[in-house]
Amino acid sequence: TRRVSHLGMRTRQMLQSAAAGSATPGKVKVIFVTQKGDRVPVVAPVGMSLMEAARDVGKLDIEAACDGTCACSTCHVYLSKEHFEKLKEASEDELDMLDLAPKPMPTSRLACQVTLSADLEGMEVTLPAEQSNQLS
């Protein structure tokens, strides 16, 4: 048998999520607030990007033109302050792309650069009313 310290990263994240009491073991519940103000709960796997959770699981209106390569700002979102502070700092590349986003706020992030983890359970994410595609 393997010891817990030898488990893969994804397995460890799933176990941590289960221990933290998330909605479903290995999954995280995120509340997206759409451009129209609708609140859409999405349950997505730990380890998935926030952008993939919005686009692929929640089927929300998020362009994600660069498909998560941090080369545009079309997955720009506003995070709740509480959860924003739990994330590692944005990279220089992400900050450069956020500079191109319409109406960035202090809790702005690119959803493709946020990886879901158990400590983000219940995070509220607001989709901005306006996006700008630098790739088109």
Side-chain angles (χ1 to χ4, degrees):
T1 58
R2 290 181 155 173
R3 302 174 100 187
V4 173
S5 62
H6 291 104
L7 293 175
M9 178 187 240
R10 190 168 193 100
T11 303
R12 279 196 305 271
Q13 289 173 331
M14 287 172 48
L15 290 172
Q16 290 168 346
S17 180
S22 67
T24 305
K27 299 201 177 212
V28 177
K29 182 178 179 181
V30 177
I31 308 297
F32 288 94
V33 180
T34 69
Q35 295 88 343
K36 295 178 181 177
D38 297 327
R39 296 175 61 81
V40 180
V42 172
V43 177
V46 167
M48 177 179 267
S49 77
L50 186 58
M51 180 268 297
E52 293 168 318
R55 182 190 68 188
D56 302 339
V57 179
K59 307 295 184 201
L60 297 171
D61 186 18
I62 187 166
E63 186 174 351
C66 74
D67 201 32
T69 61
C70 197
C72 72
S73 64
T74 59
C75 68
H76 168 229
V77 294
Y78 306 125
L79 305 179
S80 60
K81 184 177 180 181
E82 169 193 353
H83 290 96
F84 177 85
E85 292 173 351
K86 292 181 179 184
L87 298 174
K88 65 179 183 168
E89 289 189 25
S91 69
E92 285 299 317
D93 288 342
E94 182 180 359
L95 292 173
D96 288 345
M97 289 297 107
L98 284 170
D99 284 343
L100 302 173
K103 301 179 183 165
M105 296 175 58
T107 61
S108 288
R109 289 298 298 261
L110 296 182
C112 69
Q113 300 301 299
V114 176
T115 302
L116 295 178
S117 62
D119 59 336
L120 298 179
E121 175 71 25
M123 175 171 58
E124 187 170 293
V125 179
T126 302
L127 303 176
E130 184 181 348
Q131 295 285 353
S132 176
N133 186 347
Q134 298 82 35
L135 296 178
S136 59

